[in-house]
Amino acid sequence: MTTVSILGSTGSIGRQTLDVCRDLNIEVNAICAAKNIDLLESQAREFNVKLVSVYDKTLYGELKKRLADTKMCVMCGQEGNLAVAEFEGSQTVITAMSGMIGLLPTVAAVKASKRIGLANKETLVCAGHIIMPLAKEYHAQIIPVDSEHSAIFQCLNGRAGNRIRKILLTASGGPFYGKNKAELENVTKEDALRHPNWSMGSKITIDSATLMNKGLEMIEAKWLFDTDIDDIEVLVHRESIIHSAVEFDDNSVIAQLGVPQMYLPIKYALTYPKRVASASHKLSLVGKTLHFDSPDRDTFRCLDLAVFASKLGGFYPTIMNAANEQAVALFLHDKIKFLEIADIIEKSINGIKYTADTADLNAVIEADRITRRFVLNMVGE
Ligand code: MN3
């Protein structure tokens, strides 16, 4: 069994990773979180970790004091995140932080030749062109944790060098499936946070409501599976039982099915290539009906904005992603309306000109910073 470090242990994926580790008796060595030190402390104690870190430096003193009776190493800030990513005793790093903030720790884990359980899609969206070659160079195996990408990864087992003709990326459609623009004009964050199938963090749940999540996942899939973005088809599948599929040249379509819970892809990333039995999360197909539909691209404009940015290349995926992260944060603080999220992303893509070396990680971070500033100026914050 592997040994684990978790970047973002108090979030939805982080907590479920610890559920799997608890069930399978997997050793957890190092964890970090943004600011929830109550949960961080109890996780650190339960798993008796060697290293624990909080990103918010103002909470460092309190966390250190609380853990004074243990031998744990307590750290903070980006330095702590990097130490968790590189922790020598861990073979696997689960990147469960939400957003661009996960970029540098993910790069650090790759350079330390860890197995990466990749749950942070924003890093591939912004820096797939840097991370994928780096993973090859450092022999860091990347196993997707995102349910759709885990499904595609599983469908490609036994691919035997055959070409992928098409990836069928499934989407639940989110809470606003079937609604038109007029109906979305005044939806609230509470409406948007009510996801029909998946229980997730707030950022990704809003992304699911706008379909930006699927746009980010198209780019994520493009990098992970080395395909053209035009060969990825989004398929709305309300039941979230088929987690994605791959079409081959002989017209065969291979799909992966399961209950809509992250426990399964997380477990697969931790135990791959083994499939470890568990009593719960069993799928029963009797009586189930599966439906498929095309996404409504006119209403949910974020999907095509993501594809557009990906095709433009350069820093545009980073600009698109940063504008989305900032817009979602503004929406969650009741500063903008739901439909303005797409407007802000479009204006950012069209309005920001940033030229630098795209192979430079610091330039990617700078493009992200410039875009957030641009968005805040746009809405007068
Ligand atoms: Mn997903």
Side-chain angles (χ1 to χ4, degrees):
M1 215 47 100
T2 189
T3 48
V4 175
S5 292
I6 305 171
L7 296 162
S9 64
T10 59
S12 172
I13 298 286
R15 289 190 314 255
Q16 294 180 79
T17 301
L18 288 172
D19 291 342
V20 177
C21 292
R22 185 183 300 112
D23 292 350
L24 302 187
N25 255 322
I26 292 174
E27 185 181 321
V28 181
N29 285 314
I31 57 176
C32 60
K35 54 183 187 293
N36 185 351
I37 56 169
D38 291 337
L39 184 54
L40 197 55
E41 182 197 354
S42 81
Q43 291 175 338
R45 287 185 185 279
E46 181 190 345
F47 289 89
N48 195 21
V49 302
K50 298 181 183 76
L51 169 64
V52 51
S53 182
V54 59
Y55 187 69
D56 184 340
K57 289 183 179 174
T58 64
L59 297 168
Y60 168 72
E62 173 64 19
L63 183 64
K64 179 127 181 105
K65 196 173 82 191
R66 289 196 198 175
L67 291 168
D69 62 318
T70 71
K71 288 199 184 99
M72 288 170 205
C73 172
V74 182
M75 295 181 74
C76 65
Q78 185 70 286
E79 199 190 339
N81 287 346
L82 297 177
V84 169
E86 293 165 349
F87 190 83
E88 227 186 86
S90 293
Q91 295 159 325
T92 302
V93 178
I94 303 293
T95 62
M97 313 161 95
S98 163
M100 169 76 174
I101 187 88
L103 179 59
L104 290 179
T106 303
V107 169
V110 167
K111 285 190 173 171
S113 302
K114 304 294 186 188
R115 171 187 283 194
I116 314 288
L118 189 99
N120 177 276
K121 63 192 80 176
E122 291 89 348
T123 61
L124 274 194
V125 168
C126 300
H129 61 289
I130 299 173
I131 288 172
M132 295 312 287
L134 213 56
K136 210 173 229 174
E137 185 185 339
Y138 286 90
H139 303 285
Q141 192 177 26
I142 297 183
I143 315 277
V145 168
D146 206 346
S147 62
E148 296 81 359
H149 304 75
S150 173
I152 297 161
F153 185 80
Q154 294 180 55
C155 294
L156 291 174
N157 282 346
R159 171 187 179 183
N162 285 298
R163 194 180 76 95
I164 302 170
R165 185 198 278 160
K166 199 156 82 177
I167 287 174
L168 299 168
L169 190 70
T170 53
S172 70
F176 300 145
Y177 172 77
K179 294 212 186 307
N180 61 34
K181 270 190 192 159
E183 291 168 311
L184 293 177
E185 187 59 45
N186 291 311
V187 291
T188 63
K189 67 178 181 215
E190 287 75 23
D191 300 326
L193 287 171
R194 224 171 279 133
H195 196 281
N197 299 352
W198 296 92
S199 139
M200 307 176 289
S202 56
K203 195 265 176 179
I204 184 173
T205 305
I206 302 301
D207 284 348
S208 293
T210 61
L211 286 201
M212 176 50 91
N213 184 50
K214 220 39 63 176
L216 299 177
E217 288 184 351
M218 287 178 79
I219 304 176
E220 184 186 11
K222 168 191 119 113
W223 287 116
L224 283 172
F225 306 112
D226 194 21
T227 51
D228 195 298
I229 202 148
D230 286 329
D231 295 331
I232 302 171
E233 181 184 340
V234 173
L235 202 56
V236 176
H237 166 49
R238 295 292 286 158
E239 293 84 6
S240 295
I241 287 176
I242 292 185
H243 296 309
S244 276
V246 178
E247 180 185 308
F248 291 94
D249 279 332
D250 63 353
N251 297 327
S252 261
V253 176
I254 297 186
Q256 187 262 345
L257 288 72
V259 293
Q261 303 209 337
M262 290 309 296
Y263 188 94
L264 296 177
I266 292 169
K267 186 171 76 169
Y268 189 72
L270 288 171
T271 63
Y272 172 83
K274 286 206 171 68
R275 291 187 181 276
V276 176
S278 54
S280 54
H281 308 95
K282 204 167 177 320
L283 174 68
S284 168
L285 283 172
V286 173
K288 293 251 177 4
T289 310
L290 307 184
H291 296 86
F292 304 96
D293 199 356
S294 295
D296 174 358
R297 291 171 179 269
D298 294 329
T299 304
F300 299 95
R301 296 172 57 228
C302 286
L303 187 57
D304 282 340
L305 285 170
V307 174
F308 179 59
S310 174
K311 287 184 177 178
L312 286 175
F315 292 104
Y316 285 104
T318 300
I319 291 167
M320 175 275 296
N321 179 70
N324 179 57
E325 280 191 33
Q326 194 62 70
V328 168
L330 288 165
F331 176 67
L332 286 171
H333 286 95
D334 302 311
K335 303 278 189 191
I336 60 167
K337 289 182 159 191
F338 181 76
L339 291 174
E340 286 179 281
I341 295 174
D343 298 339
I344 284 173
I345 297 165
E346 185 171 40
K347 282 182 187 150
S348 300
I349 294 172
N350 290 331
I352 297 173
K353 301 277 170 276
Y354 178 68
T355 42
D357 180 5
T358 49
D360 179 1
L361 216 47
N362 290 318
V364 175
I365 292 165
E366 181 63 7
D368 176 87
R369 199 190 61 79
I370 288 170
T371 306
R372 287 167 193 266
R373 196 63 256 158
F374 181 89
V375 172
L376 290 174
N377 282 341
M378 198 193 310
V379 299
E381 281 291 306

